[in-house]
Short mmCIF file of all heavy atoms in Angstrom, two decimals:
data_model
loop_
_atom_site.label_atom_id
_atom_site.label_comp_id
_atom_site.label_asym_id
_atom_site.label_seq_id
_atom_site.Cartn_x
_atom_site.Cartn_y
_atom_site.Cartn_z
N VAL Q 291 16.35 14.43 -0.28
CA VAL Q 291 17.03 15.71 -0.10
C VAL Q 291 18.46 15.30 0.39
O VAL Q 291 18.58 14.79 1.44
CB VAL Q 291 16.44 16.67 0.86
CG1 VAL Q 291 17.19 17.95 0.89
CG2 VAL Q 291 14.92 16.96 0.41
N GLU Q 292 19.48 15.50 -0.36
CA GLU Q 292 20.81 15.19 0.00
C GLU Q 292 21.64 16.43 0.37
O GLU Q 292 21.71 17.37 -0.45
CB GLU Q 292 21.51 14.43 -1.15
CG GLU Q 292 22.85 13.69 -0.69
CD GLU Q 292 23.25 12.56 -1.61
OE1 GLU Q 292 22.66 12.43 -2.65
OE2 GLU Q 292 24.27 11.91 -1.27
N ILE Q 293 22.28 16.42 1.53
CA ILE Q 293 22.99 17.47 2.02
C ILE Q 293 24.57 17.13 2.07
O ILE Q 293 24.92 16.10 2.65
CB ILE Q 293 22.57 17.90 3.44
CG1 ILE Q 293 21.17 18.31 3.51
CG2 ILE Q 293 23.49 19.05 4.10
CD1 ILE Q 293 20.16 17.29 3.88
N PRO Q 294 25.31 17.80 1.32
CA PRO Q 294 26.82 17.46 1.29
C PRO Q 294 27.53 18.02 2.53
O PRO Q 294 27.06 19.00 3.19
CB PRO Q 294 27.29 18.30 0.01
CG PRO Q 294 26.44 19.49 -0.03
CD PRO Q 294 24.98 19.02 0.51
N GLY Q 295 28.59 17.34 2.84
CA GLY Q 295 29.54 17.81 3.90
C GLY Q 295 30.96 17.46 3.56
O GLY Q 295 31.21 17.24 2.39
N LYS Q 296 31.85 17.53 4.56
CA LYS Q 296 33.22 17.19 4.31
C LYS Q 296 33.65 16.01 5.26
O LYS Q 296 33.31 16.02 6.41
CB LYS Q 296 34.14 18.39 4.62
CG LYS Q 296 33.90 19.50 3.67
CD LYS Q 296 34.96 20.64 3.95
CE LYS Q 296 34.67 21.79 2.92
NZ LYS Q 296 35.63 22.95 3.29
N LEU Q 297 34.32 15.10 4.61
CA LEU Q 297 34.84 13.95 5.41
C LEU Q 297 36.12 14.36 6.09
O LEU Q 297 37.21 14.49 5.42
CB LEU Q 297 35.07 12.76 4.43
CG LEU Q 297 35.46 11.42 5.09
CD1 LEU Q 297 34.42 10.81 6.02
CD2 LEU Q 297 35.81 10.40 4.04
N VAL Q 298 36.08 14.51 7.42
CA VAL Q 298 37.18 15.08 8.17
C VAL Q 298 37.39 14.27 9.50
O VAL Q 298 36.34 13.84 10.02
CB VAL Q 298 36.96 16.49 8.48
CG1 VAL Q 298 38.20 17.10 9.20
CG2 VAL Q 298 36.79 17.33 7.28
N HIS Q 299 38.63 14.03 9.88
CA HIS Q 299 38.84 13.42 11.13
C HIS Q 299 38.27 14.28 12.31
O HIS Q 299 38.28 15.54 12.20
CB HIS Q 299 40.38 13.19 11.33
CG HIS Q 299 40.72 12.36 12.48
ND1 HIS Q 299 40.72 12.76 13.76
CD2 HIS Q 299 41.06 11.02 12.57
CE1 HIS Q 299 41.01 11.84 14.67
NE2 HIS Q 299 41.33 10.70 13.91
N THR Q 300 37.83 13.66 13.37
CA THR Q 300 37.28 14.32 14.49
C THR Q 300 38.12 15.43 15.02
O THR Q 300 37.69 16.51 15.46
CB THR Q 300 36.99 13.34 15.63
OG1 THR Q 300 36.00 12.32 15.26
CG2 THR Q 300 36.40 14.03 16.86
N ALA Q 301 39.47 15.20 14.96
CA ALA Q 301 40.43 16.23 15.52
C ALA Q 301 40.25 17.54 14.84
O ALA Q 301 40.59 18.64 15.41
CB ALA Q 301 41.81 15.68 15.38
N TRP Q 302 39.85 17.54 13.47
CA TRP Q 302 39.73 18.78 12.71
C TRP Q 302 38.43 19.08 12.25
O TRP Q 302 38.12 20.02 11.45
CB TRP Q 302 40.76 18.69 11.52
CG TRP Q 302 42.11 18.61 11.95
CD1 TRP Q 302 42.98 19.58 12.29
CD2 TRP Q 302 42.90 17.36 11.97
NE1 TRP Q 302 44.22 19.09 12.60
CE2 TRP Q 302 44.23 17.74 12.42
CE3 TRP Q 302 42.55 15.98 11.73
CZ2 TRP Q 302 45.17 16.77 12.55
CZ3 TRP Q 302 43.64 15.03 11.86
CH2 TRP Q 302 44.93 15.43 12.30
N ALA Q 303 37.36 18.31 12.73
CA ALA Q 303 36.06 18.47 12.24
C ALA Q 303 35.39 19.82 12.75
O ALA Q 303 35.73 20.26 13.87
CB ALA Q 303 35.16 17.34 12.76
N LYS Q 304 34.60 20.38 11.95
CA LYS Q 304 33.84 21.59 12.24
C LYS Q 304 32.40 21.43 12.03
O LYS Q 304 32.02 20.79 11.03
CB LYS Q 304 34.32 22.71 11.40
CG LYS Q 304 35.76 23.10 11.45
CD LYS Q 304 36.16 24.17 10.46
CE LYS Q 304 37.67 24.54 10.66
NZ LYS Q 304 38.03 25.64 9.69
N PRO Q 305 31.50 21.91 12.92
CA PRO Q 305 30.10 21.65 12.75
C PRO Q 305 29.53 22.18 11.39
O PRO Q 305 28.71 21.47 10.83
CB PRO Q 305 29.50 22.48 13.90
CG PRO Q 305 30.60 22.57 15.01
CD PRO Q 305 31.85 22.63 14.13
N GLU Q 306 30.12 23.19 10.87
CA GLU Q 306 29.59 23.79 9.67
C GLU Q 306 29.93 22.90 8.38
O GLU Q 306 29.44 23.10 7.35
CB GLU Q 306 30.08 25.20 9.36
CG GLU Q 306 31.67 25.29 9.36
CD GLU Q 306 32.26 25.66 10.72
OE1 GLU Q 306 31.60 25.25 11.71
OE2 GLU Q 306 33.34 26.34 10.67
N ASP Q 307 30.88 21.91 8.58
CA ASP Q 307 31.19 20.99 7.57
C ASP Q 307 30.51 19.62 7.73
O ASP Q 307 30.69 18.75 6.83
CB ASP Q 307 32.73 20.79 7.46
CG ASP Q 307 33.46 22.13 7.01
OD1 ASP Q 307 32.82 22.92 6.35
OD2 ASP Q 307 34.64 22.28 7.50
N ASN Q 308 29.84 19.52 8.85
CA ASN Q 308 29.19 18.18 9.16
C ASN Q 308 27.80 18.19 8.52
O ASN Q 308 26.89 18.96 8.70
CB ASN Q 308 28.99 18.09 10.65
CG ASN Q 308 28.53 16.75 11.05
OD1 ASN Q 308 27.53 16.33 10.71
ND2 ASN Q 308 29.26 16.10 11.97
N ALA Q 309 27.63 17.15 7.60
CA ALA Q 309 26.37 17.05 6.77
C ALA Q 309 25.22 16.83 7.69
O ALA Q 309 24.18 17.42 7.43
CB ALA Q 309 26.49 15.92 5.83
N ILE Q 310 25.28 16.08 8.76
CA ILE Q 310 24.24 15.90 9.69
C ILE Q 310 23.81 17.19 10.39
O ILE Q 310 22.67 17.46 10.53
CB ILE Q 310 24.49 14.81 10.70
CG1 ILE Q 310 24.64 13.42 9.93
CG2 ILE Q 310 23.39 14.63 11.71
CD1 ILE Q 310 25.06 12.27 10.83
N MET Q 311 24.85 17.92 10.91
CA MET Q 311 24.54 19.21 11.50
C MET Q 311 23.88 20.19 10.52
O MET Q 311 22.95 20.84 10.91
CB MET Q 311 25.88 19.79 12.00
CG MET Q 311 26.51 18.98 13.07
SD MET Q 311 25.57 18.81 14.61
CE MET Q 311 25.90 20.36 15.30
N LYS Q 312 24.34 20.14 9.31
CA LYS Q 312 23.80 21.10 8.27
C LYS Q 312 22.44 20.74 7.95
O LYS Q 312 21.56 21.64 7.52
CB LYS Q 312 24.61 21.04 6.98
CG LYS Q 312 26.08 21.70 7.15
CD LYS Q 312 26.96 21.36 6.02
CE LYS Q 312 26.45 22.02 4.69
NZ LYS Q 312 27.45 21.74 3.65
N ALA Q 313 22.06 19.40 8.07
CA ALA Q 313 20.65 18.97 7.77
C ALA Q 313 19.68 19.59 8.73
O ALA Q 313 18.50 19.62 8.36
CB ALA Q 313 20.59 17.35 7.92
N ARG Q 314 20.08 20.03 9.90
CA ARG Q 314 19.08 20.71 10.80
C ARG Q 314 18.42 21.88 10.20
O ARG Q 314 17.22 22.07 10.34
CB ARG Q 314 19.82 21.18 12.10
CG ARG Q 314 20.39 20.03 12.97
CD ARG Q 314 21.01 20.64 14.29
NE ARG Q 314 21.99 21.55 13.90
CZ ARG Q 314 22.61 22.36 14.86
NH1 ARG Q 314 22.19 22.31 16.08
NH2 ARG Q 314 23.52 23.20 14.47
N THR Q 315 19.12 22.66 9.42
CA THR Q 315 18.54 23.87 8.79
C THR Q 315 17.59 23.44 7.74
O THR Q 315 16.55 24.12 7.56
CB THR Q 315 19.58 24.82 8.20
OG1 THR Q 315 20.38 23.97 7.26
CG2 THR Q 315 20.51 25.38 9.28
N VAL Q 316 17.90 22.31 7.06
CA VAL Q 316 16.90 21.86 6.09
C VAL Q 316 15.68 21.43 6.70
O VAL Q 316 14.51 21.68 6.22
CB VAL Q 316 17.43 20.72 5.23
CG1 VAL Q 316 16.51 20.15 4.26
CG2 VAL Q 316 18.70 21.26 4.42
N LEU Q 317 15.78 20.65 7.87
CA LEU Q 317 14.61 20.14 8.59
C LEU Q 317 13.78 21.35 9.12
O LEU Q 317 12.57 21.32 9.10
CB LEU Q 317 15.09 19.28 9.71
CG LEU Q 317 15.65 17.88 9.32
CD1 LEU Q 317 16.27 17.19 10.51
CD2 LEU Q 317 14.57 17.05 8.81
N GLU Q 318 14.45 22.41 9.58
CA GLU Q 318 13.71 23.56 10.09
C GLU Q 318 12.90 24.25 8.90
O GLU Q 318 11.72 24.64 9.11
CB GLU Q 318 14.67 24.52 10.68
CG GLU Q 318 15.30 24.03 12.01
CD GLU Q 318 16.42 24.97 12.50
OE1 GLU Q 318 16.76 25.85 11.80
OE2 GLU Q 318 16.90 24.68 13.58
N ALA Q 319 13.55 24.27 7.72
CA ALA Q 319 12.81 24.85 6.57
C ALA Q 319 11.65 23.97 6.18
O ALA Q 319 10.57 24.55 5.88
CB ALA Q 319 13.78 24.99 5.42
N LEU Q 320 11.76 22.71 6.23
CA LEU Q 320 10.70 21.82 5.94
C LEU Q 320 9.60 21.91 6.94
O LEU Q 320 8.37 22.01 6.63
CB LEU Q 320 11.13 20.31 5.84
CG LEU Q 320 12.10 19.95 4.65
CD1 LEU Q 320 12.63 18.60 4.85
CD2 LEU Q 320 11.30 20.14 3.34
N ASP Q 321 9.98 22.05 8.18
CA ASP Q 321 8.98 22.19 9.29
C ASP Q 321 8.12 23.48 9.10
O ASP Q 321 6.90 23.41 9.38
CB ASP Q 321 9.74 22.28 10.61
CG ASP Q 321 8.83 22.13 11.77
OD1 ASP Q 321 7.89 21.36 11.76
OD2 ASP Q 321 8.93 22.94 12.76
N GLN Q 322 8.74 24.44 8.63
CA GLN Q 322 8.06 25.78 8.41
C GLN Q 322 7.14 25.66 7.10
O GLN Q 322 6.07 26.24 7.03
CB GLN Q 322 8.99 26.89 8.24
CG GLN Q 322 9.70 27.21 9.50
CD GLN Q 322 10.74 28.34 9.30
OE1 GLN Q 322 10.77 29.04 8.25
NE2 GLN Q 322 11.57 28.59 10.35
N TRP Q 323 7.66 24.90 6.10
CA TRP Q 323 6.90 24.77 4.80
C TRP Q 323 5.68 23.87 4.91
O TRP Q 323 4.68 24.07 4.26
CB TRP Q 323 7.86 24.18 3.78
CG TRP Q 323 7.28 23.75 2.50
CD1 TRP Q 323 6.67 24.63 1.59
CD2 TRP Q 323 7.02 22.44 2.10
NE1 TRP Q 323 6.20 23.91 0.53
CE2 TRP Q 323 6.30 22.53 0.84
CE3 TRP Q 323 7.22 21.18 2.60
CZ2 TRP Q 323 5.93 21.38 0.06
CZ3 TRP Q 323 6.85 20.09 1.87
CH2 TRP Q 323 6.11 20.15 0.66
N ILE Q 324 5.83 22.84 5.75
CA ILE Q 324 4.72 21.80 5.79
C ILE Q 324 3.36 22.42 6.13
O ILE Q 324 2.29 22.19 5.37
CB ILE Q 324 5.08 20.68 6.82
CG1 ILE Q 324 6.16 19.82 6.19
CG2 ILE Q 324 3.79 19.83 7.03
CD1 ILE Q 324 6.76 18.75 7.17
N PRO Q 325 3.06 23.18 7.17
CA PRO Q 325 1.80 23.70 7.44
C PRO Q 325 1.34 24.69 6.33
O PRO Q 325 0.10 24.73 6.05
CB PRO Q 325 1.95 24.39 8.79
CG PRO Q 325 3.37 24.70 8.94
CD PRO Q 325 4.08 23.50 8.26
N GLU Q 326 2.23 25.40 5.73
CA GLU Q 326 1.79 26.27 4.63
C GLU Q 326 1.34 25.48 3.45
O GLU Q 326 0.37 25.85 2.76
CB GLU Q 326 3.05 27.18 4.19
CG GLU Q 326 2.73 28.34 3.23
CD GLU Q 326 2.87 27.67 1.84
OE1 GLU Q 326 3.72 26.87 1.53
OE2 GLU Q 326 2.04 28.24 1.00
N TYR Q 327 2.10 24.42 3.17
CA TYR Q 327 1.67 23.53 2.05
C TYR Q 327 0.35 22.94 2.27
O TYR Q 327 -0.50 22.80 1.43
CB TYR Q 327 2.72 22.41 1.79
CG TYR Q 327 2.28 21.33 0.94
CD1 TYR Q 327 2.39 21.40 -0.41
CD2 TYR Q 327 1.72 20.07 1.54
CE1 TYR Q 327 1.97 20.39 -1.36
CE2 TYR Q 327 1.36 19.08 0.68
CZ TYR Q 327 1.51 19.25 -0.64
OH TYR Q 327 1.06 18.12 -1.52
N GLN Q 328 0.13 22.47 3.55
CA GLN Q 328 -1.12 21.89 3.85
C GLN Q 328 -2.32 22.87 3.74
O GLN Q 328 -3.29 22.50 3.15
CB GLN Q 328 -1.13 21.28 5.29
CG GLN Q 328 -0.19 20.13 5.45
CD GLN Q 328 -0.20 19.61 6.88
OE1 GLN Q 328 0.11 20.31 7.77
NE2 GLN Q 328 -0.49 18.31 7.05
N ALA Q 329 -2.12 23.94 4.27
CA ALA Q 329 -3.23 24.99 4.13
C ALA Q 329 -3.51 25.41 2.72
O ALA Q 329 -4.72 25.56 2.45
CB ALA Q 329 -2.79 26.32 4.94
N ARG Q 330 -2.49 25.54 1.86
CA ARG Q 330 -2.69 25.91 0.55
C ARG Q 330 -3.43 24.77 -0.31
O ARG Q 330 -4.11 25.05 -1.29
CB ARG Q 330 -1.37 26.24 -0.09
CG ARG Q 330 -1.41 26.69 -1.51
CD ARG Q 330 -0.14 27.40 -1.90
NE ARG Q 330 1.07 26.93 -1.26
CZ ARG Q 330 1.88 25.91 -1.67
NH1 ARG Q 330 1.51 25.35 -2.81
NH2 ARG Q 330 2.90 25.55 -0.99
N ASN Q 331 -3.28 23.57 0.10
CA ASN Q 331 -3.83 22.47 -0.60
C ASN Q 331 -5.07 21.81 0.12
O ASN Q 331 -5.40 20.77 -0.30
CB ASN Q 331 -2.79 21.38 -0.89
CG ASN Q 331 -1.73 21.81 -1.88
OD1 ASN Q 331 -1.97 21.82 -3.07
ND2 ASN Q 331 -0.52 22.40 -1.45
N ALA Q 332 -5.57 22.45 1.12
CA ALA Q 332 -6.65 21.91 1.91
C ALA Q 332 -7.94 21.85 0.98
O ALA Q 332 -8.14 22.68 0.19
CB ALA Q 332 -7.00 22.74 3.07
N ILE Q 333 -8.63 20.76 1.15
CA ILE Q 333 -9.98 20.61 0.57
C ILE Q 333 -11.01 20.40 1.62
O ILE Q 333 -11.07 19.40 2.27
CB ILE Q 333 -10.01 19.38 -0.42
CG1 ILE Q 333 -8.99 19.52 -1.57
CG2 ILE Q 333 -11.40 19.21 -0.98
CD1 ILE Q 333 -8.94 18.30 -2.43
N GLY Q 334 -11.74 21.60 1.88
CA GLY Q 334 -12.61 21.51 3.09
C GLY Q 334 -11.80 21.39 4.36
O GLY Q 334 -10.80 22.12 4.58
N ASN Q 335 -12.09 20.43 5.15
CA ASN Q 335 -11.33 20.15 6.39
C ASN Q 335 -10.13 19.30 6.19
O ASN Q 335 -9.43 18.96 7.22
CB ASN Q 335 -12.32 19.61 7.51
CG ASN Q 335 -13.41 20.55 7.97
OD1 ASN Q 335 -13.05 21.74 7.96
ND2 ASN Q 335 -14.54 20.00 8.23
N PHE Q 336 -10.02 18.76 4.96
CA PHE Q 336 -8.94 17.81 4.74
C PHE Q 336 -7.69 18.54 4.28
O PHE Q 336 -7.68 19.45 3.45
CB PHE Q 336 -9.33 16.82 3.65
CG PHE Q 336 -8.14 15.99 3.17
CD1 PHE Q 336 -7.74 14.89 3.89
CD2 PHE Q 336 -7.48 16.28 1.96
CE1 PHE Q 336 -6.71 14.10 3.37
CE2 PHE Q 336 -6.42 15.51 1.58
CZ PHE Q 336 -6.05 14.44 2.21
N LYS Q 337 -6.54 18.07 4.89
CA LYS Q 337 -5.19 18.69 4.58
C LYS Q 337 -4.25 17.45 4.30
O LYS Q 337 -4.12 16.51 5.14
CB LYS Q 337 -4.64 19.51 5.64
CG LYS Q 337 -5.49 20.73 6.04
CD LYS Q 337 -4.87 21.45 7.22
CE LYS Q 337 -5.60 22.63 7.60
NZ LYS Q 337 -5.05 23.46 8.76
N PRO Q 338 -3.60 17.56 3.16
CA PRO Q 338 -2.65 16.38 2.77
C PRO Q 338 -1.47 16.39 3.68
O PRO Q 338 -0.90 17.52 3.98
CB PRO Q 338 -2.29 16.74 1.36
CG PRO Q 338 -2.53 18.17 1.19
CD PRO Q 338 -3.62 18.60 2.11
N ASN Q 339 -1.07 15.24 4.24
CA ASN Q 339 0.00 15.16 5.17
C ASN Q 339 1.35 15.13 4.44
O ASN Q 339 1.50 14.80 3.30
CB ASN Q 339 -0.08 13.94 6.03
CG ASN Q 339 -1.07 14.11 7.19
OD1 ASN Q 339 -1.21 15.29 7.63
ND2 ASN Q 339 -1.53 13.01 7.77
N VAL Q 340 2.40 15.55 5.18
CA VAL Q 340 3.76 15.45 4.76
C VAL Q 340 4.45 14.75 5.86
O VAL Q 340 4.36 15.11 7.06
CB VAL Q 340 4.40 16.82 4.44
CG1 VAL Q 340 5.87 16.71 4.10
CG2 VAL Q 340 3.64 17.59 3.38
N ASN Q 341 5.33 13.79 5.56
CA ASN Q 341 6.05 12.94 6.53
C ASN Q 341 7.50 13.01 6.31
O ASN Q 341 7.98 12.67 5.20
CB ASN Q 341 5.53 11.53 6.45
CG ASN Q 341 6.25 10.63 7.53
OD1 ASN Q 341 6.44 11.08 8.71
ND2 ASN Q 341 6.55 9.43 7.12
N ILE Q 342 8.36 13.38 7.27
CA ILE Q 342 9.76 13.19 7.26
C ILE Q 342 10.01 11.72 7.60
O ILE Q 342 9.92 11.34 8.73
CB ILE Q 342 10.50 14.12 8.19
CG1 ILE Q 342 10.08 15.58 7.94
CG2 ILE Q 342 12.05 13.96 8.07
CD1 ILE Q 342 10.37 16.13 6.64
N ALA Q 343 10.31 10.95 6.60
CA ALA Q 343 10.21 9.48 6.79
C ALA Q 343 11.58 8.90 7.30
O ALA Q 343 11.54 7.94 8.04
CB ALA Q 343 9.85 8.81 5.43
N ALA Q 344 12.68 9.42 6.90
CA ALA Q 344 13.94 8.81 7.26
C ALA Q 344 15.12 9.85 7.12
O ALA Q 344 15.02 10.80 6.35
CB ALA Q 344 14.27 7.64 6.43
N ILE Q 345 16.12 9.65 7.85
CA ILE Q 345 17.37 10.36 7.72
C ILE Q 345 18.51 9.40 7.71
O ILE Q 345 18.61 8.46 8.51
CB ILE Q 345 17.60 11.30 8.94
CG1 ILE Q 345 16.50 12.43 8.95
CG2 ILE Q 345 18.99 12.07 8.82
CD1 ILE Q 345 16.58 13.37 10.18
#
Side-chain angles (χ1 to χ4, degrees):
V291 180
E292 192 161 6
I293 299 97
K296 291 182 180 179
L297 185 64
V298 181
H299 191 282
T300 298
W302 297 279
K304 299 177 181 179
E306 60 266 29
D307 294 331
N308 185 304
I310 294 176
M311 298 293 285
K312 291 167 67 176
R314 291 183 304 170
T315 57
V316 176
L317 289 170
E318 289 171 358
L320 290 172
D321 189 44
Q322 294 177 10
W323 169 74
I324 288 171
E326 185 274 328
Y327 167 82
Q328 291 180 305
R330 180 162 33 88
N331 290 278
I333 300 176
N335 294 325
F336 170 78
K337 297 179 180 179
N339 276 339
V340 179
N341 180 42
I342 307 300
I345 297 178

